[in-house]
Amino acid sequence: MLDVCLLGSGGMMPLPYRWLTALMTRFNGSSLLIDCGEGTQIAIKEKGWSFKPIDVICFTHFHGDHISGLPGLLLTMGNADRREPLTLIGPKGLERVVNALRVIAPELPFPIIFREIEGAEQTFALNGYRLKAFRVNHNVVCYGYTMEIDRAGKFDVERARAQGIEQKYWSILQKGETVETAEGRLTPDMVLGPARKGIKLTYTTDTRPTNSIRENAKGADLFICEGMYGEKEKASKAVEYKHMTFYEAAQIAKDAQVKEMWLTHYSPSLTRPEEYMDEVRRIFPAAKAGKDRMSTELTFS
């Protein structure tokens, strides 16, 4: 099971009723945060989740509304006497940018591991899931992220018994691990059926529509996508500043055949996104206007 919470749904500046866009996930005892704008700590507290299990923070890009909350979060983690390493993932220049922000958070009791994304795509294996960063099209280098949790095939008891595999090895093989015995090596494929459908989450903000988004979001259980503007008259503004409209996001969701889409990263001038959703749903029926603390649990089929 993957817990997902859209901590904030605003772009550019926080508002009294809308925090800046940030996403938090929880899986298997660890938490991942994507982006950390001003107010992210408050959003986490409002949700009732904990800072302690956060072991990975990813950044789409280095504009202030996506990273300016990091120094305060690092200080909070340090004040809580954190000792475990924290992994940061982001575009080239990540270490330089973070160290500049750490002028106001210079001493931390835990190490930071920097993973700078190389090229147009890169996949990271972390805490039982795969995280793929893929380049999108903003006015600075910017990435979207897809998280995938694989699900092994079903354990076949009859096959295990037919091959004389002792029951004490079953749970190990079921976890996908290999076992060395006096009689030889036992591998998971000896007892597991075909891989089953896993869980897939795709998140992207601050971009024009791109094929990279369509390809990486394909078949996602949940697609969280920027919808900077709902007003039709602002379509040219979206092109100029390399953002996306509600309707462009909906078309990507339709093309990628995702199960559900949440819009996020609204312009501060967009006070009532729900007003535009009827037309959005004519393009993609399973669309929702994201809002702060919107949450779901993604489970295996």
Side-chain angles (χ1 to χ4, degrees), residues 229-238 245-248 270 276 279-280 282-283:
Y229 305 111
E231 310 93 322
K232 289 288 185 68
E233 64 271 18
K234 292 189 176 179
S236 60
K237 196 171 183 179
T245 68
F246 282 22
Y247 317 102
E248 290 171 324
L270 185 65
Y276 303 92
E279 189 166 350
V280 171
R282 280 196 280 272
I283 302 170

Side-chain angles (χ1 to χ4, degrees), residues 62-137:
F62 300 139
H63 280 160
D65 57 336
H66 293 258
I67 196 171
S68 59
L70 181 65
L73 179 59
L74 294 177
L75 283 171
T76 296
M77 290 176 164
N79 291 337
D81 203 31
R82 179 194 181 98
R83 291 290 187 269
E84 300 80 14
L86 176 67
T87 297
L88 302 185
I89 297 173
K92 287 278 190 179
L94 173 67
E95 187 168 1
R96 172 181 53 81
V97 171
V98 171
N99 284 339
L101 292 170
R102 281 191 59 197
V103 168
I104 57 173
E107 296 180 7
L108 298 172
F110 56 88
I112 295 178
I113 300 168
F114 293 97
R115 306 285 298 274
E116 297 192 350
I117 302 165
E118 298 180 0
E121 293 185 347
Q122 188 171 352
T123 300
F124 304 88
L126 301 157
N127 307 318
Y129 57 84
R130 283 177 288 111
L131 186 73
K132 183 179 180 182
F134 56 92
R135 184 80 62 85
V136 295
N137 180 20

